Amino acid sequence: MRTQTGMWLLSAAVMLGLSGLAGCGGEKANEFRAFDKGKDTAKEAEVGHAHVHGPHDGELIDLGEVEFHAEVVFDEEKHKITLYLLGADAKTPVAIEAKELSLELPGKEAPATHALTAVSADADGKASHFEITSEELVETFHKDPKTVGKFKVSINGKEFVGEVKHMH
C-alpha cells in the first residue's frame, strides 16, 4: 500500500511538473509585435547601427557615448591594420592632429606598444586614419580571438579609449 501511494504521488508530481514545462501558449504565443522606440531601448537600435561593419567594411568601435567611432580593418594578405576615426554617424571621417596612435597589447612581462602612423594628412596636418604593417601583430589577432588591443585618442580635446578585437 505504501509503495502504491508513493508511486501515485511521484507520478502526480512528475505530471504536474511536466505540465508546467509546456507553458501557457494561448493564441498569441507565436505573434510578434513591431519595434517600439519607447519600449525597446537597445543601444544599437537607438543609434541606428545594429550592423557591425563601417564604411570600409571593418569592425566598428564605439568611442564615448557613441560620440565618435573608430573602424578597424584587418588586411591579412598585406599584414596591415588600419584604424579609421569616424563621427557619431559612423560614416564621416574625423581628422585629428596626431601623427600616430599607440596600440597596446598585453605582454608576458609588460604591455607591448605598436605605433599606428597617420596616413594622408590634410593641409592642416590632420589625419583621420592610421595604419601599421606588421605580420606578427596581424597574426597575434588572427590566432587568438580573445586578443584585445587598446588605443587612446584625443578628439576635440576629449580623451577616448577604444578596444581593438579581430572578429573573424
Side-chain angles (χ1 to χ4, degrees):
M1 180 77 174
R2 271 185 153 173
T3 306
Q4 286 181 338
T5 304
M7 288 300 290
W8 184 86
L9 287 173
L10 179 63
S11 297
V14 168
M15 293 303 287
L16 185 61
L18 289 176
S19 67
L21 288 176
C24 53
E27 291 182 358
K28 296 187 178 189
N30 293 324
E31 291 181 15
F32 297 97
R33 65 177 175 79
F35 176 77
D36 180 349
K37 189 172 181 178
K39 294 179 184 175
D40 303 319
T41 57
K43 189 175 180 181
E44 297 84 23
E46 286 181 16
V47 297
H49 71 263
H51 56 80
V52 179
H53 295 97
H56 305 95
D57 204 30
E59 295 141 17
L60 286 176
I61 302 164
D62 287 338
L63 298 175
E65 293 293 319
V66 213
E67 294 173 68
F68 297 97
H69 293 85
E71 177 185 10
V72 63
V73 177
F74 289 87
D75 185 335
E76 295 186 25
E77 288 181 18
K78 295 181 181 178
H79 310 292
K80 188 185 299 185
I81 298 173
T82 305
L83 191 71
Y84 296 90
L85 299 177
L86 306 168
D89 65 357
K91 295 177 185 174
T92 308
V94 174
I96 62 171
E97 293 181 11
K99 296 192 183 324
E100 69 179 32
L101 296 178
S102 294
L103 179 63
E104 191 174 279
L105 278 83
K108 291 181 182 176
E109 294 177 20
T113 303
H114 304 273
L116 281 78
T117 309
V119 178
S120 306
D122 62 15
D124 296 332
K126 295 181 177 183
S128 63
H129 72 278
F130 300 79
E131 67 184 24
I132 184 171
T133 301
S134 168
E135 183 174 357
E136 179 185 357
L137 185 58
V138 171
E139 280 297 310
T140 299
F141 278 102
H142 182 74
K143 285 182 182 175
D144 184 2
K146 295 178 186 172
T147 299
V148 176
K150 292 189 177 191
F151 66 94
K152 291 181 183 176
V153 61
S154 179
I155 304 174
N156 298 335
K158 190 171 179 182
E159 295 287 324
F160 298 95
V161 176
E163 291 188 348
V164 174
K165 301 173 189 173
H166 185 28
M167 317 241 188
H168 297 276

